[in-house]
Amino acid sequence: MTNEVIMAGFGGQGVLLMGQLLAYAGMVEGKNVSWLPSYGPEMRGGTANCSVIVSDEPVGSPVVTEADAVIVMNKPSLDKFESALKPGGTLFINSSLIDRKPSRKDIDVHYIPVNEIAAEVGNARVANIVMLGAYVASSGIVSKKSVIDAVEYVLGKSKAHLIPINEKAFDEGAKRVK
Amino acid sequence: MEKVLMKGNEAIAEAAVQAGCRFFFGYPITPQNQIPEYMSRRMPEVGGTFLQAESEVSAINMVYGAAGAGARVMTSSSSPGISLKQEGISYIACAELPCVIVNMMRSGPGLGGILASQGDYFQSVKGGGHGDYRLIVYAPSSVQEAADCVMEAFEASDYYRVPALILGDGMIGQMMEPVEFKQPKKREQKEKTWAATGWDGSRERAVINSLYIEAEEMNAVIGRLQRVYREIEKNETQFEEFMMDDAEIGIVAYGTTARIVRNAVLKARNDFGIKAGLIRPITVWPFPYAPIADAAKRVTAFLAVEMSTGQMVEDVRLGVNGACPVSFLGTTGGIAQTPLQIIKKLKEIKEGK
Amino acid sequence: MAVVFKKTPLICDVPFHYCPGCTHGIAHRLVAECIEEMGLQDKAISVVPVGCAVFAYKYFNVDSFQASHGRAPAVATGAKRVHPDKLVFTYQGDGDLASIGTAEIVHAAARGEKITTIFINNAIYGMTGGQMAPTTLVGQKTTTSPFGRDEVHCGYPVRISEMLSTLDGAAYIERVSLHDVPNINKAKKAIRKAFETQIAGKGFSLVEILSTCPTNWGLSPVEAIKWLKDNMIPYYPLGVFKEAK
């Protein structure tokens, strides 16, 4: 099984980190993974995006042109990446910031107000983890445990106290796609 | 050893450290900044030296000084910065100093763009600086292979006293993949008795030099270099074949482009009934002419795919040597091929267009 | 028979290629004598330039580098960082150091790189046949300033010692001249001081040596010495510009 996903949003929404967590979780499970970011001037407050591939086969091209899933955290990202989704693919929309519907009819769509959910959980900065929870629960590509392991690894010992809130954010996201 | 998830640039830096590189001289330029940044943190941990030079020109001359003093040393840059280093690289090649240079290619000419490109192929394998010299050039296509190539490059460069170049692109540098650091097969390295370390009279006086005013002297040096280059061609050529056994069209691609081609080969076979195969040079100098020449007897056509307007294709033509037609598909920097574009080209070739 | 003079073994026993009356030979010997007297032969590493001193690796009887044009301070930096316990020095002319190599010398000094630079200033490009140098005096005729250096057209000569002495990393900077015996003796003392500064790890050191180029100045050796004294010293005053404690 191969899962190719594009994640996009404003710089600062944790889009690149969300992709790294997914790649790390896949690696922990012994899968082949790649994470490819956009880089350059757009890093400074513009849009950021990354392509993540998690696969049982060796990863060929790290460039995702026909995505199994697209996650958009802001409106410009929806405009840009809706077309990159393959027919039958799944679109994850941050409905806290995106007020329009996609124009395509050949795809599945999940609307998740991740900013509001993150605020309810108690930390606006975990909005990306809410979204990751939704995506992982929906795709089943990696386990929740692997993602939380990845969060632990990334946060390090000094921020270990933040793990419970990340876990809660993950669970809240996962609930929305069930 | 455990796998770690790392950016290509960081994996290259760590591989250098694990290969025993203890000196790094660099200058900031996108998209390779993670290499000097990583080295600035890591070198002090292993008792090494990281120094940010005032320019790429200075950095490569610091490499000349450190290599001539007997150290394992590396520098990294991206296309415009590598252009600035060419004079120093030519001196290093003539003075027969080992070192590793990393070029994370971006698009050009000129200041160009910062996105991935393969436009420095000619510069890397056909000279670059002035004079009659070669570099051993590795063109990794994954983060793991980038780390492997760096370790191999230090060993090979020391062994032959020929500078080695890691020819990556912005994509290899920026992407993250799992990587495991594996020591390469150690070669029987001679002691660096030629290095300038301070002379106590117990050996010949060391002179690190590239000036040979007498034609006979210059001829002798170039002759020696050429004999070493022939040895390298014989021993160090590396490539990988993918589904070439029954291929009707052979594709040649290196670096990240080869990964896209690999996807295209699978798709062409599964969805379009086109038996394509891939020959992927891992070293682009020495270039794997032999497997291409060999396959040219069996396939109906060859296709070279590059993130440039057509550079490596010239070497593919040399390998094919007229045995079958050679087509080219290229993009300019920052625009990756898609498997479908490649398949479209394969269809055209098959239909004799 | 009593030995009244012995050539230092730190200079190789080969003929110099320098022109008659050129003061490079004196400068070479002073450097070599200092290394010998300090007992540093097995610790010395020379880095020689492009220009008249391009063959100096054949003359200094120590491990040596021939560097590309202007880059000797960068090469010396690389070697010194590998061997911090060695005496690493560059020997550079005014074209090499003050024109094409300004970035390298400025930053080596700014970093307080523990190397020593012997800077030969003869106000002209010698090896290439007498073109205008960054240190060519206003009004001085060269093959590329045939009507005399015109400051309106091509600016003013660069005072390297004064410029570098403004940098915190520079620990010892002195300008000396080779136009007579007392000054030659002073030059030797300055070179020794610069080497001592390096060995003590105080920072960057440079000795600027005003030298003659009779061939390209179109003067006899004796006239050249007088020209140096009358024209160069007023613009390039002698003395210590920087001495770290």
Side-chain angles (χ1 to χ4, degrees):
Chain A
M1 188 160 115
T2 297
N3 206 283
E4 306 192 356
V5 56
I6 294 172
M7 303 173 174
F10 287 125
Q13 283 186 306
V15 165
L16 299 184
L17 178 65
M18 180 168 32
Q20 286 180 10
L21 291 170
L22 177 64
Y24 186 92
M27 183 184 75
V28 168
E29 293 184 8
K31 296 188 163 80
N32 297 291
V33 299
S34 71
W35 172 91
L36 180 70
S38 60
Y39 64 92
E42 72 268 30
M43 280 161 69
R44 311 275 182 263
T47 60
N49 73 79
C50 64
S51 302
V52 180
I53 301 176
V54 179
S55 177
D56 297 319
E57 309 295 322
V59 176
S61 168
V63 182
V64 174
T65 48
E66 293 173 86
D68 297 292
V70 167
I71 297 172
V72 289
M73 298 289 276
N74 66 356
K75 208 166 161 185
S77 298
L78 176 61
D79 299 342
K80 189 170 175 187
F81 290 109
E82 186 183 340
S83 60
L85 199 56
K86 71 180 184 193
T90 313
L91 181 62
F92 294 81
I93 290 182
N94 175 12
S95 53
S96 300
L97 296 182
I98 302 170
D99 53 10
R100 81 163 174 89
K101 298 204 160 170
S103 45
R104 284 175 63 175
K105 304 291 171 221
D106 59 343
I107 53 173
D108 293 328
V109 188
H110 291 292
Y111 298 92
I112 303 147
V114 296
N115 295 51
E116 279 88 351
I117 296 171
E120 282 163 28
V121 168
N123 188 335
R125 292 180 63 187
V126 296
N128 57 342
I129 306 297
V130 174
M131 187 57 99
L132 186 59
Y135 168 70
V136 166
S138 160
S139 67
I141 190 74
V142 293
S143 72
K144 176 189 157 186
K145 185 184 176 303
S146 304
V147 174
I148 300 304
D149 283 352
V151 172
E152 267 189 72
Y153 175 78
V154 169
L155 288 178
K157 281 196 184 112
S158 64
K159 289 183 184 162
H161 62 282
L162 292 173
I163 293 164
I165 197 168
N166 276 279
E167 194 169 349
K168 193 158 176 234
F170 184 98
D171 290 341
E172 288 301 316
K175 271 189 214 162
R176 303 300 172 117
V177 295
K178 274 172 187 160
Chain B
M1 194 177 169
E2 213 177 302
K3 280 188 177 175
V4 282
L5 192 65
M6 275 181 122
K7 277 195 171 192
N9 282 335
E10 293 182 338
I12 282 170
E14 179 60 27
V17 169
Q18 298 208 17
C21 170
R22 288 295 176 273
F23 293 86
F24 182 92
F25 303 99
Y27 186 82
I29 184 171
T30 305
Q32 60 82 55
N33 292 318
Q34 291 83 12
I35 299 177
E37 284 166 2
Y38 188 92
M39 287 302 201
S40 70
R41 297 192 298 271
R42 187 78 168 95
M43 277 300 185
E45 289 177 4
V46 293
T49 296
F50 162 84
L51 189 61
Q52 182 168 319
E54 61 270 25
S55 66
E56 286 90 349
V57 175
S58 275
I60 195 68
N61 282 285
M62 289 173 185
V63 168
Y64 178 84
R72 272 201 170 174
V73 54
M74 183 162 100
T75 185
S76 67
S77 191
S78 179
S79 308
I82 295 290
S83 290
L84 280 168
K85 288 181 197 284
Q86 291 302 337
E87 179 201 35
I89 294 172
S90 170
Y91 276 62
I92 286 168
C94 189
E96 299 170 76
L97 299 179
C99 68
V100 175
I101 302 145
V102 180
N103 180 6
M104 284 295 161
M105 284 185 280
R106 54 189 258 182
S107 59
L111 196 48
I114 59 170
L115 295 174
S117 160
Q118 295 182 324
D120 300 349
Y121 181 88
F122 283 154
Q123 184 198 52
S124 308
V125 307
K126 310 279 184 197
H130 60 281
D132 236 342
Y133 75 93
R134 298 285 188 176
L135 307 175
I136 310 171
V137 185
Y138 299 87
S141 79
S142 68
V143 173
Q144 179 65 58
E145 194 168 70
D148 294 343
C149 284
V150 167
M151 289 180 147
E152 183 74 31
F154 275 103
E155 283 292 308
S157 183
D158 266 357
Y159 186 78
Y160 294 105
R161 291 182 63 186
V162 169
L165 179 76
I166 305 297
L167 188 63
D169 58 54
M171 219 185 286
I172 285 280
Q174 296 297 325
M175 71 187 286
M176 282 178 117
E177 283 187 314
V179 58
E180 189 180 350
F181 297 97
K182 297 167 288 192
Q183 288 294 333
K185 200 170 98 277
K186 292 284 174 196
R187 298 166 193 240
E188 221 171 281
Q189 302 285 7
K190 289 194 194 105
E191 207 191 323
K192 294 179 177 178
T193 51
W194 46 263
T197 59
W199 184 47
D200 62 4
S202 65
R203 53 162 166 79
E204 265 186 63
R205 186 166 71 89
V207 177
I208 307 300
N209 179 40
S210 68
L211 175 65
Y212 300 100
I213 285 285
E214 300 299 330
E216 291 74 19
E217 267 188 299
M218 187 79 254
N219 182 50
V221 171
I222 291 177
R224 184 164 71 239
L225 288 177
Q226 289 298 322
R227 284 192 292 280
V228 172
Y229 296 156
R230 297 295 87 77
E231 277 297 299
I232 294 171
E233 285 173 337
K234 206 166 70 191
N235 302 331
E236 306 298 330
T237 309
Q238 290 184 46
F239 62 94
E240 184 187 66
E241 291 193 356
F242 179 65
M243 299 195 141
M244 279 302 292
D245 286 348
D246 62 342
E248 50 185 340
I249 301 174
I251 308 179
V252 184
Y254 69 97
T256 43
T257 305
R259 298 173 63 136
I260 298 163
V261 169
R262 195 187 150 101
N263 283 23
V265 165
L266 287 170
K267 208 173 171 65
R269 283 175 178 260
N270 294 340
D271 301 352
F272 298 90
I274 301 172
K275 283 185 186 166
L278 167 67
I279 296 178
R280 178 174 74 85
I282 299 171
T283 55
V284 284
W285 195 90
F287 190 80
Y289 293 111
I292 291 171
D294 189 45
K297 294 176 206 148
R298 305 189 306 270
V299 300
T300 55
F302 256 107
L303 169 65
V305 185
E306 297 175 64
M307 235 188 296
S308 79
T309 54
Q311 300 192 15
M312 181 198 63
V313 62
E314 294 189 4
D315 278 327
V316 175
R317 290 207 172 99
L318 284 175
V320 167
N321 200 17
C324 68
V326 176
S327 300
F328 172 73
L329 180 65
T331 58
T332 51
I335 302 163
Q337 306 278 358
T338 65
L340 283 177
Q341 285 168 326
I342 296 165
I343 287 164
K344 184 166 163 266
K345 187 77 185 176
L346 289 173
K347 279 201 235 162
E348 285 171 15
I349 292 168
K350 199 171 176 184
E351 288 156 14
K353 276 183 197 162
Chain C
M1 208 193 291
V3 175
V4 292
F5 174 78
K6 207 170 148 225
K7 201 167 71 66
T8 169
L10 266 288
I11 292 285
C12 299
D13 199 10
V14 294
F16 280 0
H17 71 283
Y18 299 113
C19 304
C22 163
T23 41
H24 263 301
I26 298 173
H28 278 29
R29 210 177 85 202
L30 297 180
V31 169
E33 285 177 357
C34 285
I35 297 169
E36 186 193 0
E37 287 161 19
M38 294 171 76
L40 294 172
Q41 169 163 19
D42 60 345
K43 286 204 156 50
I45 297 173
S46 84
V47 183
V48 307
V50 170
C52 282
V54 71
F55 293 116
Y57 61 86
K58 295 184 180 179
Y59 309 145
F60 292 123
N61 199 11
V62 297
D63 275 0
S64 297
F65 284 87
Q66 200 291 312
S68 59
H69 202 19
R71 319 301 171 212
V75 174
T77 297
K80 181 74 181 188
R81 297 284 178 141
V82 175
H83 299 297
D85 58 329
K86 300 291 155 67
L87 179 81
V88 180
F89 70 95
T90 73
Y91 186 102
Q92 302 173 257
D94 43 45
D96 192 84
L97 182 144
S99 189
I100 195 168
T102 42
E104 284 73 15
I105 196 68
V106 165
H107 287 278
R111 283 193 303 270
E113 206 63 56
K114 292 164 194 68
I115 60 171
T116 301
T117 292
I118 308 300
F119 169 41
I120 306 296
N121 178 359
N122 59 9
I124 205 154
Y125 279 80
M127 184 61 113
T128 45
Q131 294 82 10
M132 186 182 74
T135 49
T136 292
L137 297 173
V138 170
Q140 186 183 341
K141 285 182 181 171
T142 71
T143 59
T144 51
S145 58
F147 314 108
R149 181 176 185 149
D150 174 5
E151 73 279 16
V152 176
H153 176 63
C154 50
Y156 297 88
V158 182
R159 293 189 183 95
I160 287 291
S161 289
E162 287 85 338
M163 187 174 93
L164 294 181
S165 64
T166 64
L167 298 169
D168 290 349
Y172 189 76
I173 308 272
E174 182 171 355
R175 183 183 289 123
V176 296
S177 171
L178 299 178
H179 67 277
D180 61 19
V181 174
N183 276 287
I184 289 171
N185 288 337
K186 270 193 199 164
K188 185 171 172 183
K189 282 202 187 91
I191 294 166
R192 175 146 188 160
K193 192 84 197 248
F195 284 162
E196 284 167 357
T197 300
Q198 178 182 162
I199 295 293
K202 288 182 183 168
F204 175 79
S205 52
L206 177 140
V207 180
E208 175 174 346
I209 303 178
L210 301 185
S211 301
T212 62
C213 183
T215 300
N216 289 303
W217 290 357
L219 300 172
S220 74
V222 175
E223 289 167 340
I225 284 192
K226 185 171 173 355
W227 192 89
L228 183 162
K229 202 172 133 193
D230 294 347
N231 296 281
M232 288 184 76
I233 293 178
Y235 191 85
Y236 298 114
L238 307 182
V240 177
F241 291 90
K242 186 78 175 280
E243 185 168 9
K245 293 190 183 79

